[in-house]
Each structure stands twice: as C-alpha cells, then as structure tokens.
Amino acid sequence: QVQLVESGGGLVQAGGSLRLTCTASGGAVSAATMGWFRQAPGKEREFVAAITGSGRSTGRTYYGDSVKGRFTIPRDNLKNTVYLQMSSLKPEDTAVYYCAATADYSVGPVGSERFYNYWGQGTQVTVSS
C-alpha cells in the first residue's frame, strides 16, 4: 500500500516562493501519475498540477489554469518523490495542498480526483498579502 507524506507548507508573503515535497513509501511510484490538488476553506478541491510516470509520455506535465506559468511539478523517481515548486504566490493560493498518486501505468483524466488511488494528508500553505 503506497503512502504519501507532504511537507514544506507554511506561511509566505505574496510574491514569494515555496516548494512542497511529497514522498512515497510502501512502493515505487515511478510508473504512477503524481498530482497535486488544493482545497481552500469553503471551496471544492481543485486540480493544481500533475506529472505522468514511466510508460505514458513519461514526465508529461499538466497544470490548472490558475497556476500555469507560476508552478512546476518536477519528480525524482530515485527518491520516490514529487515536488510542487510554487512562485509568484498570491493570497488566493492559500489552501491545504494534497499530493496524490495513481496506480502504475494508469491512463485517465489527470485533473480528476477520481483518477487517483492514493492521497496524502495535506499540508497548509498560507499566502499573506
């Protein structure tokens, strides 16, 4: 059973940068699509970014419209880790950020929560104005 643990959240001023880390244990995730979602208070969970695993256009990245050009999602398969590099942060980026992983070689809509099999507990990101 794959377990995901996020870290790196915190308080940052608008315009600043932050890097979130998601480390998987209990199994390798090199063949899984890894994603980040976020949920702000009173709002539905929102797709942020995803990166495909080996076997399907390896390393292809996808981004939600609200973060394009500001966030990137690199992965390090040797470390079983995916990152979310966030820059030019805005107060509206404030949310709990969740890491997610699919089963190996899964194909589907990377922006849909239902595509993912494993979830982390989330890490809070707060952007002050």
Side-chain angles (χ1 to χ4, degrees):
Q1 181 80 359
V2 172
Q3 294 183 327
L4 305 174
V5 177
E6 304 97 335
S7 61
L11 174 64
V12 63
Q13 288 189 334
S17 299
L18 204 60
R19 187 178 79 164
L20 305 183
T21 300
C22 172
T23 301
S25 61
V29 293
S30 59
T33 292
M34 304 293 294
W36 287 95
F37 289 76
R38 68 186 182 186
Q39 188 166 22
K43 295 186 177 181
E44 294 187 351
R45 196 170 293 188
E46 173 191 18
F47 169 70
V48 175
I51 183 168
T52 58
S54 57
R56 180 201 176 191
S57 302
T58 303
R60 183 169 181 176
T61 56
Y62 302 81
Y63 297 96
D65 289 341
S66 61
V67 306
K68 282 180 182 176
R70 301 188 297 122
F71 292 11
T72 60
I73 182 172
R75 68 188 296 166
D76 185 338
N77 288 334
L78 292 179
K79 296 182 178 179
N80 234 21
T81 296
V82 66
Y83 305 93
L84 185 67
Q85 182 65 51
M86 306 183 291
S87 61
S88 301
L89 283 162
K90 305 174 182 179
E92 50 264 43
D93 294 317
T94 295
V96 177
Y97 284 70
Y98 298 91
C99 176
T102 68
D104 289 350
Y105 307 111
S106 293
V107 177
V110 299
S112 171
E113 293 180 58
R114 289 174 289 182
F115 180 47
Y116 296 86
N117 301 91
Y118 309 104
W119 290 84
Q121 293 300 306
T123 185
Q124 175 72 46
V125 172
T126 302
V127 183
S128 63
S129 57

